[in-house]
């Protein structure tokens, strides 16, 4: 079975949404109306609607780091993760958690970075040497 993930959430400015998701992240724009816009988020559908963004706080503990909750994101193969990290750094994106490796040498070793869109919606991007190790214990 092939499935795609869909997430809808609020933003306060569609032009700024287009600049960030389309320009900075390089996502292809899909359908839109006066109050919402869809993007192809690395093969998954994001739908941003005008409204009040959800509240977040750094309450999620992963290892010795506190991360924003709730958040969304994706998992990439490590070379793609590295390319995106370089792109975000070149765009001078402010990171909540700068690109780094965690659980090094352990099952589930992963590279991660956290940043927010212009409306405070937290995004985590993970990178793995092999996507087959995503659920390794």
């Amino acid at each position: 079975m092939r499935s795609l993930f869909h997430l809808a959430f609020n933003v306060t400015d569609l032009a700024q949404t287009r600049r960030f998701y389309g320009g900075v992240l390089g996502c292809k724009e899909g359908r839109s109306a006066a109050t919402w816009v869809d993007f192809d988020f690395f093969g998954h559908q994001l739908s941003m609607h005008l409204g009040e963004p959800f509240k977040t706080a750094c309450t999620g503990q992963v290892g010795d780091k506190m991360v924003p909750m709730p958040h969304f994101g994706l998992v990439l193969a490590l070379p793609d993760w590295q390319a995106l990290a370089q792109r975000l750094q070149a765009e001078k994106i402010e990171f909540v958690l700068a690109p780094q490796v965690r659980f090094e040498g352990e099952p589930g070793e992963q590279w991660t970075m956290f940043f927010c869109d212009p409306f405070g919606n937290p995004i985590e991007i993970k990178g793995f040497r092999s996507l087959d190790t995503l659920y390794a214990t």
Side-chain angles (χ1 to χ4, degrees), residues 9-86:
F9 56 93
N10 288 334
V11 297
T12 58
D13 183 306
L14 295 181
Q16 197 172 14
T17 300
R18 287 180 166 102
R19 283 191 298 275
F20 182 78
Y21 286 91
V24 174
L25 294 182
C27 299
K28 182 180 175 191
E29 185 174 332
R31 295 173 294 162
S32 65
T35 60
W36 58 269
V37 61
D38 282 348
F39 281 94
D40 177 343
F41 185 68
F42 303 85
H44 303 281
Q45 184 188 40
L46 291 184
S47 183
M48 289 75 138
H49 294 253
L50 290 175
E52 187 65 32
F54 54 81
K55 294 180 192 254
T56 65
C58 287
T59 59
Q61 186 167 356
V62 181
D64 63 346
K65 307 286 186 202
M66 299 302 288
V67 299
M69 296 297 293
H71 64 264
F72 71 96
L74 68 132
V75 178
L76 297 172
L78 186 55
D80 296 327
W81 181 90
Q82 291 167 326
L84 183 57
Q86 289 175 349

